[in-house]
Amino acid sequence: MAKIISGKEVSAQVRADVRAECETLKQQGITPGLAVIIVGDDPASRVYVNNKKKACADVGFLSEEYTLPAQTTQEELLDLIEKLNNKKEINGILCQLPLPKHLDEKAVINAISPLKDVDAFHPSNVGRIMIGDYHFLPCTPAGVMELIHSADIDVNGKNCVVIGRSNIVGKPMAMLLLHENGTVTICHSRTKNLKEICRSADILVAAVGKPKFVKADMVKEGAVVIDVGMDRDENGKLCGDVDFNEVEPLASYITPVPGGVGPMTIAMLMKNTLMAAKIQNGVLNNA
């Protein structure tokens, strides 16, 4: 029987720490501010944006939402980002993805100032993560590391397997495990002998976007299993990339869906925004 790593509990602690630090900053006349841009009316994006607004209110941040129609032009969107780059009260800028098809996501990410890029998607922030000299980490991989640390799991020398190679989760996840001296393998749709590779993992991170993809025959007994997936099963019920009922008896630790990695993502966004406010106000040195 695996121990459950609760993202609800760990994220509540992260938020409490951020809230306390925010109070200290406010005494110095600094209120961290996050601007969220949403283009169009994607229902999932709307849910995420609402959750981010609630989290800002919870920790005491200033929160601004910019809701743009689906037909917004590239120029209009880039103009707004430029205004927010120059707005002193705003420390973090987040443009909710995916964007409507006619907009260039890459250009939008590149337009956000690296110092306000609290998603850590800008190429200069990605480069800093690569060399291990960073201010911000992508929120989901950072949340995964927080969960691993909360359970006192030592990554040093462990075989770590990441299923998925996205720029948002898979690649940075691999780098963070590597920075803690894990031996890391990244698997993807073209990987041969996927089951065997996964079965060698002491720490297995599933970020593939396929419901219940990881079965018991892919998991070594005693492995730590982290499920980044947020999927729907055949009955429309929320589930992860890991078949929880099959894998849980084998694992030593496992994260549930919902209530595992999900709550951590927004908690780490709050942490990044706090960091951005400190750097921009000279509370922390921007080395």
Side-chain angles (χ1 to χ4, degrees), residues 159-170:
N159 274 344
C160 306
V161 174
V162 179
I163 316 174
R165 54 176 166 182
S166 73
N167 291 334
I168 293 171
V169 181

Side-chain angles (χ1 to χ4, degrees), residues 51-126:
N51 287 342
K52 285 162 187 170
K53 276 165 70 177
K54 279 183 200 154
C56 283
D58 177 47
V59 297
F61 290 179
L62 165 72
S63 164
E64 292 184 358
E65 182 189 316
Y66 295 84
T67 308
L68 306 178
Q71 61 272 25
T72 297
T73 65
Q74 184 84 7
E75 194 180 357
E76 288 167 334
L77 182 51
L78 294 180
D79 280 350
L80 171 59
I81 289 169
E82 188 53 32
K83 283 194 186 95
L84 294 171
N85 279 339
N86 294 314
K87 189 168 183 179
K88 195 172 185 311
E89 301 80 14
I90 293 300
N91 306 113
I93 303 168
L94 185 150
C95 191
Q96 187 65 46
L97 304 178
L99 290 169
K101 293 278 186 281
H102 67 283
L103 296 171
D104 180 352
E105 280 187 7
K106 199 166 155 189
V108 169
I109 289 166
N110 289 355
I112 295 171
S113 161
L115 285 177
K116 296 191 176 189
D117 166 40
V118 287
D119 264 334
F121 293 166
H122 191 284
S124 75
N125 284 331
V126 173

Side-chain angles (χ1 to χ4, degrees), residues 159-163 185 187 191-205 214-225 247 250:
N159 274 344
C160 306
V161 174
V162 179
I163 316 174
T185 305
C187 297
T191 300
K192 291 174 180 169
N193 306 325
L194 179 68
K195 276 184 190 173
E196 287 80 357
I197 294 168
C198 291
R199 253 202 315 267
S200 73
D202 302 308
I203 299 172
L204 179 64
V205 181
V214 175
K215 304 289 186 187
D217 62 358
M218 296 170 73
V219 178
K220 176 169 83 173
E221 191 161 350
V224 174
V225 180
V247 171
L250 278 172

